[in-house]
Amino acid sequence: MPGARASFLPYAALLAAIVTLCVGTSFAKTLFPLVGAQGVSAYRVGFSALILLAIWRPWRHRLSAADLRAVAMYGAVMGTMNLCFYMSIRTIPLGVAIAIEFMGPLVLAVAHSRRLIHFVWIALAVLGLGLLLPINPGAEPLDPVGVAYACAAAVMWALYIILGKRAAHLHAGRSVALGMTTAALIVAPIGIVSAGPVLFDPKIAALGLVVAVLSSAIPYSLEMIALRGIPKRSFGVLLSLEPAVGALAGLAILNERLSLTQWLAIAAIVAASAGTILSTPAEAVSEDVP
């Protein structure tokens, strides 16, 4: 029994990480009327950077100029990805935005292999994306600006994985701390200019801290626990559930009701992501799963 409990713990940690992230993002959206998407994004990356700096204290270890450039590029993409995603969920449902964003790592994973089965997953993903951009008059249209931001976030997620690999030889915690600090230096000024002095209101800032803890600190910690006990392939498959969990969180917290077509689209993209990972050689999965 203790052995079974120990083997179950990493999976429970990963599921908790996904749920916490989606709940945190849903809560973040409730703050948009107060400080805007840019302001909430500034809270998330800014407070996350402070938390990670306090934990890892990366200044105690020197980096070469090349490593600093790699971490800076990684952080810049991280910040842009966060900002684009928050801008997307201003006008489109959370689950839909996550599903579109998943296209980035999905395309990247497929690009590493040219097996015939992967074209099936590409077709399924394209079908899902097509369903999210309905062409029949009876379907509820999505805001094109929100979709564009979600697509930009997808591109940034793919670049995040690529640039993360270039910094993979460095200590993970210190690299993320420096990367998040770079992200904060980029996003925070945008949030300050957009939201103005209200961003420094102590009560609202406290809510922003909650967003950072729920959306970054807790999920990151839980994923570290999960990665110790879950094979990379299984980790990636379970992570593919995130769009569906995001849609459920959006329904429960934000009352974002999706049409049947949108639920089918999310299911198609989840299936395409899981299928891609399951049919990709193990060594490629180890490289591509963030």
Side-chain angles (χ1 to χ4, degrees):
M1 193 62 131
R5 186 178 303 168
S7 62
F8 172 75
L9 179 61
Y11 292 90
L14 180 55
L15 181 59
I18 295 172
V19 171
T20 304
L21 174 62
C22 293
V23 169
T25 305
S26 297
F27 176 69
K29 190 169 179 176
T30 66
L31 301 185
F32 285 7
L34 300 177
V35 293
Q38 301 95 322
V40 177
S41 185
Y43 279 147
R44 178 181 179 180
V45 297
F47 283 125
S48 295
L50 292 175
I51 292 170
L52 290 169
L53 286 173
I55 293 172
W56 296 109
R57 291 174 283 181
W59 56 83
R60 298 184 303 171
H61 304 268
R62 297 185 64 180
L63 295 177
S64 67
D67 287 341
L68 282 173
R69 283 194 298 271
V71 171
M73 291 175 64
Y74 164 74
V77 167
M78 183 192 301
T80 306
M81 177 179 67
N82 276 276
L83 179 59
C84 287
F85 181 74
Y86 273 28
M87 293 294 286
S88 75
I89 63 174
R90 292 181 309 167
T91 55
I92 65 176
L94 175 60
V96 171
I98 295 176
I100 295 173
E101 189 187 33
F102 253 75
M103 296 298 292
L106 175 60
V107 170
L108 187 62
V110 171
H112 279 83
S113 179
R114 300 210 173 8
R115 298 176 63 189
L116 182 60
I117 186 62
H118 285 116
F119 291 97
V120 175
W121 305 130
I122 291 173
L124 189 59
V126 170
L127 172 63
L129 192 59
L131 290 174
L132 289 176
L133 306 172
I135 57 175
N136 53 310
E140 184 178 349
L142 292 174
D143 174 58
V145 175
V147 171
Y149 273 119
C151 290
V155 173
M156 290 300 111
W157 194 355
L159 290 174
Y160 168 83
I161 295 172
I162 293 171
L163 295 173
K165 289 179 185 178
R166 296 181 183 177
H169 61 286
L170 303 173
H171 184 276
R174 292 193 288 269
S175 298
V176 173
L178 290 172
M180 192 66 77
T181 301
T182 304
L185 291 174
I186 293 172
V187 176
I190 297 174
I192 292 171
V193 171
S194 174
V198 70
L199 196 68
F200 300 99
D201 182 288
K203 293 181 180 179
I204 301 177
L207 296 176
L209 177 59
V210 173
V211 168
V213 171
L214 289 176
S215 301
S216 297
I218 293 178
Y220 177 77
S221 301
L222 290 172
E223 284 182 7
M224 291 299 100
I225 295 173
L227 279 169
R228 295 192 189 105
I230 301 179
K232 290 276 189 177
R233 185 188 298 273
S234 300
F235 184 94
V237 172
L238 290 172
L239 198 64
S240 300
L241 295 173
E242 193 172 307
V245 176
L248 291 172
L251 175 62
I253 299 172
L254 302 170
N255 197 33
E256 293 180 340
R257 300 183 181 277
L258 304 184
S259 67
L260 177 60
T261 300
Q262 289 171 333
W263 277 110
L264 289 174
I266 290 173
I269 292 174
V270 168
S273 299
T276 298
I277 293 167
L278 288 172
S279 58
T280 298
E283 61 273 13
V285 173
S286 298
E287 292 176 356
D288 289 334
V289 175

